[in-house]
Amino acid sequence: MTATSELIPAHPRPASAFPVGGKRLLIYVVYDRRGEIEDYIPFALRSLRPHMSHILVVVNGALTAEGRAKLADVSDEVVERENRGYDIWGYKHGLEHTGDRIDDYDEVVIANDTWYGPVRSFADVFEGMDPREVHFWGITDHARVEPHPFTRTGYLPYHLQSYWVAVRREMLQSEEWQAYWRELPEMTSYSDAVVKHEGVFTEHFTGLGFVGDVAFPLLLDVPENYPVLYARQLLEAGCPTLKRRAFFQWPPYLDQVGVVSRWTLDAAADHGYPVELIYADMARNVAPKIMNAGAALMSVLPDEDVSYDPGSPLRTLVIAHIFYPEMTDEMLDRADNLPGTYDLLITTPESERADAIRKRLQERAPRGTAEVRVLASNNGRDQGAFLVGCRDVLLGGEYDLIVKIHSKKTPQDDPAVGAHFKEQQFGNLLHSPGYAANVVALFQKEPGLGLAYPPTVHLGHPTMGHGWWENKRGFRELAASLGIRVPLDDASPLAPYGSMYFARPIALRLLVEHPWSYDDFGGAEAYLDGGLAHILERMPSYAAGELRYHTRTIVASDYLSTSYSALSYNFDQLSATMPGSTMEKIQLLKRLGPWDYGTARDLGRMFVSLHLPAMQGRLKTIYRRSERLRSALWRLRHPSSWFRG
Amino acid sequence: MTDGLADIGGADIRGPRDNSRLILFAIHSTRGEVDDASRHQLAELRPLASRLVVIVEKGIDAAEAAALSGMSDRVLWFDGRATDARAYRRALQDEFVEGYAEVVLTGNGWFGPIGSFDHVLERMAARDLDAWRLIETADRDPEVFPQEGFPRARAPWIWTVARRETTRTAAWREYWAVERSDDEEDFNDHLVVNGLRTEAAFPAGLGPRGNPGILAPAALLRAGCPVLLRAVFAQFPPLLDRFAVLVRPILEDIERRGYPVAHLWRAVARTTPPAALNALAGMVEVLGDGDAPILGEQESPGRTPLRVCVIVHVPHLDFVDELAGRLTKVPGPFDLVVTTTDGRKAAKLRSRLSKSTHEWARRAVVRVTWVPGGRDIGALLIGCKDILLSDRYDLLIRLHGRELRRKPLNVREYARRYQLENLLSSPGYVERVFDLFRREPGLGMVFPPLIHIGYGIMGRGWGAYREPAEKLGSALGVRVPLDEVSPLAPYGGMWIGRPEALRAFAAHEWKVGDYHRNRRSQWVELTRVQERLLCLAAAESGYHCRTILNAEHAAIAYTALEYKLDELSSNTRGYPVEQIHLLRRAGWTGYGSIVALSRMYVNLNHPRIASVAQPAYRLLRNAALLAKRLVSAARNEHVDDGRQ
């Protein structure tokens, strides 16, 4: 008895059901580049505990003490090995490590850590699979694809997906099983793991007469990676596992196939899975902008308070760096939109400014304590003020939430552009009392929420596609030195451009802990692209991510109207001259490389990168060496240059 | 101080004391009509003018021009386009200027007055000047985007004033003796060269590039300028984007200050391509789901009840449950009309509806609309013609359960939810949608914005339907300019709208046969052409459209859009306007073949050669295509252009 036609061998060997009270071994392979173990793993293992007689965790790579402790609680045995051969060689290692003890078990499950769960119940799955008389079974499967999507020749056979395969006693003790693992080929790439194991395992054993089965057979009549593209529908069908890949794939790809991961997360939450485990894992291991788009982590908040809980207020501190004292009232009026009480810490670089600010404060009704600090230096502007001047309160643990604002004027911009930027910041942070209450409520509801700030400003600013500017290299170096290993986004980072945000101070610890000094920032002349202030402006979400805190963008509907309509029109215009889907357009543009000014040289470079990628280096050298020849040709074509020195 | 009421100042007044003012008001219209906004200007200027002369350009509807005689002292015809000095010269040849303290040369190039002219007139009256103009423009050669469909906007002079002393100078006489196609700044230059003292009420420095009228309208209004230039609405939206010119808050502001924005909407709906208008005026509405707030004071107290009809096409019965669920989101009473494709389904529908617990379901009318090839839109235009053409309803809600068979499951689900949930999210949401219609009598239709998840419509919304749409549009009398890349359209075929907005479209005698395969050669695929023309037809009748999203879909669509646009923009330099302009100038990239790259090189670097070579290239290509068609026709092969 089996669920899909492909799993019926022509000459089936006798198979048996999992005996009542039988023994089951779980070999669970983990890969964590930090060795620290994300919390979704103990959660999954704990829920599998009642079904397993023994849990062996095989770790590809080394564990930290923290990681070891987390696993010790939820498993019987943990072995660490060199990170080689992907999860498949991890399975092999686990099987070899178990050795003859394998005979003690009626079933061995080989599974890896590439899924969250259980979203639906494992008990139901075991209950369904145990009585079936089969040799091996999986949770989900993949239909036959021809030609093979990886090798482009032959075909990818129908197969059980390798993140979970259970094997019964008859097969475990067969010579064929031993031989399969003995002769397992080397695997040096992700593609190897699919081509040499996942894709062939099922067909190999069905061909040998072993009977397979699958808990959630072919979901659709088209071959797809269902757990990634149809995760929500699989959950509806009762599937306990939710593949992580569904959340870190390139958004334009998921978008093209209509995957809305937001709805998958909602479905998981509805089924009772603690989705904060997913957010915490993604915050650490997915580039923040991909996470923002993939999980649609933007909150459109209304002006009516619909969510704030006055019963559990957050200890809130507004940190305002005020360089222009005349903006004091305007800023504090905004801050007064916050619900309940809040403390106020104002920083300013000179005592005259501080006096002017204090005078304004006297005429206002305070909502908590208020302090004005005169800083030792204006170096680093609001960044220096925040990281050096407010270090003590940020690390003090007195506050649950801080609101960082500053007196923004951007005098270097055109006035309308500057005014828009200011409104884009204040308007989307503290739009109205109801709005601000809704923002605070986000932090009340999500303990894992680290930061909330407006989406990237784009009207009047050339930020689209260029959010890093010259700061990426410096960012990478600084992030590494601060111990931030969150992957970096490609075209633009997810960042509070403008440096105003709501944050949990605890989420900013990696950023604040570092002993910054005003000298690190340099004077006004250092306030340039690639300079420390600009690097730090882009860092909060990455720093928070390392500590498992995620970011949301927050937006008021009036800004969204203007922003959405502009983005949509620009997108339409920008994608008008390329063929295919949006994803294909992006891919084509990426392959073409930078356009610069569209000169012969630029288009020539595009041609080379597209059609002669192998020759790129050589042609570059030739181009550089031919400078004199080219300039001679240029002069030849431009007679006016003949008479100039 | 004198005690004369008409006198606006005391002894230090340098300007005209008698306050007599001749206003020459030129009317230009690409549509040959005088719109409400222009009439509003005239009505408001009337009290400021001792004599008001209207100069009407050739091509303006004679009856509309004649009607202006009741609003002015004289209506003059100008045999040309009233967008430069020549129009005023025509009037000055006939009008006697000597008797007036000042002559004002203006026209319908602006919306206003916003607030009133009093303040600025008072301020300028105090200046010792020979002439002045309202807005200075140092940008003599403003950036234009003809290739993108936005050539230079032409308009009459905004507001130039010449005082009595000026009109008596030789420079004045010299200037008007010759025919010149000058703008206001040219005229000003002439006066300055001849030693006259001139000034601008609002200097060029108020805006970037020395062009505050177009690139800093908000700054002008804030500074007290009483006009908003029409030219703002004729700009390429990404150019406005570049300078953070946000039209949406400007319109909110001028409405607060008492300007009847309905006039403006009616005017711009008919002259700006709809998708461009949607972008530049920020017309995406993100509406909440909670209880709709009490309407503001300016609206009538409470909510006027709306007569609503829901017209649903149900091609298969699986849709019924989902539909019933959605319809509970409509607040207040409504009529339901259900169309289906055959009598068997109609009978089943009737029996299911009659058993419903909802009163609206039991009262529902079921019609059989047998329109092969007409999809949902044929069922509407033919099967519900009477409803569209009647005055029975204030609003129609158009839904359907048509399946998108060729799309993957996820895309089908997303698209259906995108349509239905963004129209009927919750009772509070729908009430907010109704409020949009209550607030704006000129709002014709609302529907979700162009879908971009799971679809590649962005960048090619017209598909193969642009030419047929132009043809059908002109047959329907649509003269609203078409968008270049993608039209603003309810691509999914679901919307909420006023029947009046679609009346012109519905009045066309559509027949079942129009949708027949055999007519394909004429309209490609009529349903898709019609879908893309709805907003244009509404615009032609003076109705504008808005796009609507609920908060959940806004979050999903915005984050995806922003991510994709960021990726798409990462290989080109500068602001979006520069990135777009570069790619558009380069032209079709194909897949980056040597031919495509060479063509792009020529387009970008030798546009003159390209302009010569392109027609030849097109001729060759078309010849080849024609030959191919002829060959396939000869072989009797079926060519299906209908893309999903």
Side-chain angles (χ1 to χ4, degrees):
Chain A
M1 187 198 74
T2 192
T4 70
S5 55
E6 298 246 24
L7 288 165
I8 306 170
H11 306 286
R13 305 184 185 202
S16 40
F18 183 76
V20 178
K23 288 181 77 183
R24 187 183 281 124
L25 165 69
L26 171 66
I27 297 176
Y28 182 85
V29 176
V30 170
Y31 168 69
D32 181 331
R33 61 204 168 96
R34 294 184 184 86
E36 288 172 6
I37 304 300
E38 299 308 326
D39 290 334
Y40 75 93
I41 290 177
F43 183 85
L45 292 179
R46 207 167 278 129
S47 73
L48 283 169
R49 183 81 268 185
H51 308 283
M52 304 294 169
S53 314
H54 190 88
I55 294 181
L56 166 64
V57 179
V58 179
V59 181
N60 275 350
L63 286 174
T64 61
E66 179 195 339
R68 210 165 288 132
K70 278 187 182 177
L71 289 175
D73 280 353
V74 291
S75 63
D76 300 297
E77 211 180 339
V78 178
V79 291
E80 293 170 48
R81 65 180 285 271
E82 185 194 352
N83 178 26
R84 198 171 52 80
Y86 291 80
D87 50 332
I88 315 305
W89 277 74
Y91 295 151
K92 180 178 156 86
H93 188 94
L95 290 166
E96 282 167 1
H97 177 85
T98 307
D100 292 342
R101 283 179 291 156
I102 212 141
D103 297 343
D104 300 345
Y105 301 102
D106 300 293
E107 186 171 277
V108 173
V109 175
I110 51 174
N112 64 23
D113 63 348
T114 61
W115 46 271
Y116 302 114
V119 181
R120 307 298 300 272
S121 138
F122 268 125
D124 291 350
V125 172
F126 287 120
E127 204 174 290
M129 301 312 288
D130 284 355
R132 301 197 192 174
E133 291 173 356
V134 294
H135 294 106
F136 65 107
W137 61 274
I139 289 187
T140 53
D141 54 6
H142 195 291
R144 183 181 197 279
V145 182
E146 189 168 351
H148 197 300
F150 285 70
T151 60
R152 295 272 153 218
T153 57
Y155 65 97
L156 173 68
Y158 167 91
H159 61 271
L160 301 179
Q161 292 183 305
S162 64
Y163 69 90
W164 177 288
V165 173
V167 183
R168 300 257 167 92
R169 187 183 284 273
E170 291 82 354
M171 187 158 136
L172 289 170
Q173 294 182 351
S174 69
E175 169 50 29
E176 289 86 346
W177 171 259
Q178 320 262 336
Y180 181 88
W181 291 103
R182 204 167 47 234
E183 289 154 20
L184 190 72
E186 281 294 314
M187 291 174 196
T188 54
S189 67
Y190 172 76
S191 143
D192 276 355
V194 176
V195 175
K196 298 179 181 170
H197 168 73
E198 183 172 35
V200 295
F201 176 89
T202 308
E203 192 182 51
H204 175 77
F205 284 101
T206 330
L208 295 169
F210 292 100
V211 181
D213 207 345
V214 60
F216 301 95
L218 300 167
L219 197 68
L220 300 176
D221 55 2
V222 282
E224 291 284 11
N225 193 351
Y226 311 117
V228 175
L229 302 186
Y230 292 92
R232 186 165 47 87
Q233 291 87 342
L234 267 176
L235 296 183
E236 274 161 27
C239 184
T241 53
L242 174 57
K243 286 284 276 184
R244 289 171 78 213
R245 179 175 281 274
F247 301 101
F248 62 73
Q249 288 250 341
W250 192 41
Y253 166 71
L254 291 177
D255 183 286
Q256 164 159 295
V257 285
V259 175
V260 179
S261 298
R262 167 83 265 143
W263 291 341
T264 311
L265 286 164
D266 290 347
D270 287 346
H271 289 302
Y273 185 78
V275 284
E276 57 270 21
L277 298 178
I278 301 182
Y279 287 145
D281 178 37
M282 285 177 81
R284 284 198 115 186
N285 296 308
V286 179
K289 203 171 170 69
I290 291 186
M291 180 175 177
N292 182 259
L297 287 180
M298 180 172 92
S299 303
V300 187
L301 300 172
D303 282 321
E304 312 89 60
D305 169 12
V306 292
S307 49
Y308 181 68
D309 174 10
S312 46
L314 298 180
R315 296 169 302 161
T316 305
L317 174 70
V318 173
I319 298 182
H321 180 62
I322 302 185
F323 185 79
Y324 303 103
E326 67 273 19
M327 282 183 69
T328 306
D329 279 310
E330 185 188 341
M331 288 170 66
L332 296 183
D333 286 348
R334 291 286 193 171
D336 280 346
N337 284 336
L338 286 166
T341 60
Y342 69 85
D343 291 347
L344 176 63
L345 173 55
I346 294 176
T347 54
T348 191
E350 292 142 30
S351 57
E352 301 84 68
R353 292 177 201 263
D355 292 341
I357 294 164
R358 283 196 191 98
K359 221 168 132 198
R360 296 304 320 140
L361 280 179
Q362 276 161 14
E363 287 163 34
R364 301 183 61 93
R367 298 265 292 275
T369 65
E371 183 192 346
V372 181
R373 282 188 187 179
V374 181
L375 304 172
S377 160
N378 194 37
N379 285 3
R381 301 186 195 172
D382 61 290
Q383 300 284 357
F386 185 72
L387 292 173
V388 186
C390 304
R391 188 167 190 265
D392 55 331
V393 285
L394 290 169
L395 292 174
E398 267 179 71
Y399 295 99
D400 304 312
L401 186 65
I402 55 136
V403 185
K404 179 179 180 301
I405 53 177
H406 56 96
S407 59
K408 189 164 183 50
K409 269 202 175 164
T410 26
Q412 71 270 25
D413 284 341
D414 163 59
V417 171
H420 167 67
F421 197 175
K422 190 175 102 183
E423 182 55 34
Q424 198 262 355
Q425 295 286 299
F426 283 107
N428 287 320
L429 286 166
L430 299 157
H431 197 261
S432 63
Y435 181 93
N438 290 325
V439 179
V440 177
L442 293 174
F443 287 90
Q444 287 178 325
K445 274 184 296 191
E446 285 179 21
L449 180 61
L451 286 142
Y453 50 77
T456 305
V457 65
H458 61 94
L459 293 159
H461 293 82
T463 45
M464 280 294 134
H466 306 292
W468 284 112
W469 294 114
E470 301 301 316
N471 301 299
K472 196 167 185 176
R473 203 167 51 144
F475 186 103
R476 188 174 282 125
E477 287 163 10
L478 182 60
S481 77
L482 296 176
I484 297 170
R485 299 180 65 187
V486 174
L488 303 196
D489 280 290
D490 189 15
S492 297
L494 181 73
Y497 300 90
S499 268
M500 298 201 210
Y501 48 78
F502 281 79
R504 270 181 222 281
I506 199 173
L508 299 176
R509 187 175 52 89
L510 292 180
L511 215 51
V512 183
E513 231 171 28
H514 184 86
W516 300 105
S517 75
Y518 289 113
D519 290 341
D520 294 335
F521 290 92
E525 75 290 344
Y527 206 76
L528 292 171
D529 242 349
L532 183 60
H534 282 93
I535 289 173
L536 286 170
E537 180 181 11
R538 286 158 174 78
M539 201 160 279
S541 287
Y542 296 81
E546 184 63 31
L547 300 181
R548 303 187 173 92
Y549 288 97
H550 63 275
T551 298
R552 275 182 182 274
T553 45
I554 46 174
V555 66
S557 66
D558 55 355
Y559 171 71
L560 200 56
S561 293
T562 319
S563 171
Y564 192 98
S565 52
L567 290 181
S568 173
Y569 191 84
N570 291 349
F571 188 4
D572 190 42
Q573 292 282 328
L574 203 59
S575 57
T577 54
M578 291 146 275
S581 68
T582 298
M583 182 180 80
E584 288 158 350
K585 290 173 192 207
I586 294 171
Q587 286 170 328
L588 175 69
L589 284 182
K590 286 195 178 238
R591 278 163 55 227
L592 286 172
W595 282 63
D596 290 342
Y597 302 98
T599 60
R601 187 187 139 187
D602 300 329
L603 290 158
R605 192 184 50 226
M606 286 184 193
F607 177 80
V608 173
S609 73
L610 202 59
H611 301 285
L612 307 165
M615 307 215 4
Q616 228 160 346
R618 262 179 59 204
L619 286 167
K620 221 181 246 174
T621 316
I622 294 173
Y623 185 83
R624 224 178 298 127
R625 291 208 184 129
S626 66
E627 200 192 325
R628 277 176 64 186
L629 178 69
R630 282 184 289 115
S631 79
L633 281 171
W634 187 87
R635 285 168 69 96
L636 205 62
R637 280 194 297 137
H638 295 83
S640 58
S641 66
W642 298 351
F643 307 103
R644 259 182 262 139
Chain B
M1 284 285 282
T2 62
D3 55 1
L5 284 175
D7 211 319
I8 45 160
D12 62 332
I13 287 281
R14 315 265 162 79
R17 262 160 225 266
D18 60 8
N19 237 2
S20 62
R21 186 180 284 127
L22 168 65
I23 297 184
L24 303 181
F25 189 94
I27 294 188
H28 162 68
S29 164
T30 49
R31 301 178 49 91
E33 59 197 19
V34 182
D35 57 21
D36 295 340
S38 308
R39 276 192 287 272
H40 179 75
Q41 287 177 283
L42 285 171
E44 293 286 316
L45 290 179
R46 193 80 192 87
L48 297 177
S50 314
R51 183 173 171 77
L52 178 57
V53 177
V54 181
I55 307 150
V56 183
E57 73 176 13
K58 191 176 153 189
I60 299 270
D61 181 77
E64 288 191 17
L68 295 176
S69 57
M71 310 185 73
S72 60
D73 297 297
R74 185 178 187 188
V75 178
L76 276 172
W77 283 94
F78 170 59
D79 191 27
R81 201 172 55 181
T83 55
D84 55 46
R86 287 172 292 190
Y88 301 104
R89 182 171 179 266
R90 163 77 185 82
L92 289 167
Q93 283 169 344
D94 273 24
E95 285 289 320
F96 189 67
V97 299
E98 290 278 315
Y100 300 99
E102 60 184 33
V103 181
V104 180
L105 310 176
T106 181
N108 68 342
W110 45 271
F111 295 109
I114 318 292
S116 89
F117 269 96
D118 293 352
H119 209 73
V120 69
L121 292 181
E122 213 170 294
R123 173 158 69 89
M124 296 314 285
R127 309 285 301 153
D128 189 9
L129 295 168
D130 297 312
W132 61 276
R133 59 213 187 285
L134 193 62
I135 303 167
E136 181 189 14
T137 308
D139 184 15
R140 303 298 284 268
D141 190 17
E143 193 176 8
V144 290
F145 298 85
Q147 208 183 344
E148 287 85 350
F150 295 87
R152 185 159 182 180
R154 300 284 171 187
W157 290 9
I158 300 309
W159 186 273
T160 285
V161 179
R163 297 216 173 123
R164 182 180 284 141
E165 299 72 32
T166 310
T167 62
R168 288 175 180 158
T169 59
W172 173 270
R173 284 193 300 278
E174 235 169 66
Y175 186 84
W176 296 108
V178 191
E179 198 162 86
R180 303 165 199 260
S181 57
D182 282 1
D183 61 23
E184 274 176 299
E185 293 296 329
D186 298 324
F187 175 65
N188 182 66
D189 290 349
H190 178 86
L191 297 186
V192 171
V193 165
N194 285 284
L196 292 164
R197 295 154 309 160
T198 73
E199 243 178 48
F202 300 98
L206 276 173
R209 293 186 181 171
N211 195 346
I214 289 173
L215 300 179
L220 280 179
L221 290 169
R222 214 176 309 115
C225 179
V227 309
L228 171 63
L229 300 200
R230 272 186 198 245
V232 171
F233 296 87
Q235 300 304 312
F236 186 40
L239 179 70
L240 298 183
D241 176 330
R242 156 74 182 84
F243 295 100
V245 177
L246 311 181
V247 174
R248 186 183 168 97
I250 291 176
L251 296 183
E252 284 165 4
D253 177 47
I254 68 173
E255 184 171 19
R256 254 194 314 274
R257 290 166 62 183
Y259 180 75
V261 285
H263 294 333
L264 179 149
W265 283 121
R266 211 174 148 74
V268 297
R270 308 175 87 190
T271 47
T272 304
L277 180 61
N278 185 272
L280 71 84
M283 292 162 81
V284 177
E285 306 296 320
V286 182
L287 304 174
D289 280 306
D291 288 338
I294 307 301
L295 293 179
E297 274 172 38
Q298 66 271 40
E299 287 93 13
S300 54
R303 293 189 161 85
T304 45
L306 296 170
R307 297 166 303 160
V308 177
C309 182
V310 181
I311 307 179
V312 196
H313 185 56
V314 180
H316 59 89
L317 299 178
D318 300 348
F319 180 57
V320 174
D321 290 332
E322 187 176 15
L323 174 69
R326 275 292 136 205
L327 289 182
T328 59
K329 316 287 185 197
V330 181
F334 61 89
D335 290 345
L336 174 63
V337 176
V338 182
T339 61
T340 190
T341 49
D342 61 62
R344 274 176 2 123
K345 281 182 207 157
K348 284 183 192 154
L349 274 168
R350 270 191 208 104
S351 105
R352 282 183 72 168
L353 287 163
S354 66
K355 288 179 206 134
S356 169
T357 53
H358 297 289
E359 187 263 347
W360 46 259
R362 294 193 300 274
R363 279 194 298 112
V365 175
V366 179
R367 292 181 176 183
V368 176
T369 51
W370 193 81
V371 188
R375 302 197 307 168
D376 52 291
I377 203 163
L380 177 74
L381 289 175
I382 294 174
C384 303
K385 190 188 315 172
D386 55 329
I387 302 171
L388 293 173
L389 294 175
S390 83
D391 285 321
R392 253 181 295 160
Y393 298 104
D394 299 310
L395 280 185
L396 304 178
I397 299 179
R398 174 58 176 163
L399 310 172
H400 64 78
R402 183 163 55 77
E403 280 273 15
L404 305 153
R405 279 194 213 93
R406 280 181 275 183
K407 294 279 175 186
L409 178 67
N410 275 326
V411 176
R412 288 202 306 263
E413 286 194 4
Y414 174 73
R416 205 188 62 246
R417 286 184 66 172
Y418 185 77
Q419 294 287 321
L420 288 169
E421 292 173 8
N422 285 320
L423 286 178
L424 304 176
S425 179
S426 65
Y429 179 90
V430 182
E431 195 67 83
R432 284 178 171 83
V433 174
F434 288 174
D435 285 348
L436 292 177
F437 284 97
R438 287 188 181 105
R439 247 192 302 267
E440 287 189 313
L443 180 60
M445 285 169 92
V446 298
F447 44 83
L450 179 46
I451 192 170
H452 53 83
I453 293 177
Y455 282 80
I457 307 173
M458 285 264 184
R460 52 153 187 265
W462 280 115
Y465 312 116
R466 189 184 162 117
E467 279 173 33
E470 272 173 7
K471 217 162 94 184
L472 180 56
S474 64
L476 294 171
V478 173
R479 289 176 299 152
V480 176
L482 268 56
D483 280 288
E484 284 291 315
V485 179
S486 295
L488 182 73
Y491 289 89
M494 303 195 210
W495 43 263
I496 300 176
R498 286 184 209 277
E500 302 95 282
L502 297 170
R503 190 142 301 156
F505 198 87
H508 187 83
E509 307 239 320
W510 302 107
K511 294 183 194 64
V512 173
D514 292 339
Y515 297 96
H516 195 272
R517 269 189 109 71
N518 292 349
R519 309 283 185 284
R520 277 249 181 125
S521 57
Q522 192 181 356
W523 301 127
V524 187
E525 214 182 299
L526 182 59
T527 57
R528 295 175 200 280
V529 179
Q530 286 178 326
E531 200 170 80
R532 284 162 174 76
L533 265 177
L534 285 175
C535 289
L536 285 155
E540 182 61 34
S541 306
Y543 291 93
H544 60 277
C545 297
R546 289 185 184 271
T547 47
I548 53 173
L549 284 170
N550 74 11
E552 183 188 13
H553 279 277
I556 293 166
Y558 186 94
T559 48
L561 183 63
E562 191 198 25
Y563 194 92
K564 289 184 285 186
L565 186 58
D566 191 53
E567 290 278 79
L568 204 60
S569 311
S570 64
N571 294 312
T572 39
R573 286 168 175 266
Y575 289 88
V577 64
E578 292 153 1
Q579 298 171 320
I580 292 166
H581 195 52
L582 177 74
L583 291 186
R584 294 289 298 275
R585 278 197 300 131
W588 188 243
T589 63
Y591 293 96
S593 69
I594 183 77
V595 177
L597 288 169
S598 312
R599 189 178 53 225
M600 282 151 65
Y601 166 75
V602 175
N603 288 342
L604 285 171
N605 299 284
H606 304 284
R608 260 182 283 172
I609 297 179
S611 68
V612 177
Q614 239 166 22
Y617 173 76
R618 271 202 207 114
L619 196 73
L620 276 172
R621 196 191 53 183
N622 289 347
L625 284 174
L626 185 70
K628 214 168 130 190
R629 261 195 209 172
L630 287 173
V631 170
S632 69
R635 290 187 189 153
N636 203 13
E637 282 170 4
H638 173 65
V639 182
D640 189 352
D641 290 312
R643 276 189 280 170
Q644 180 76 13

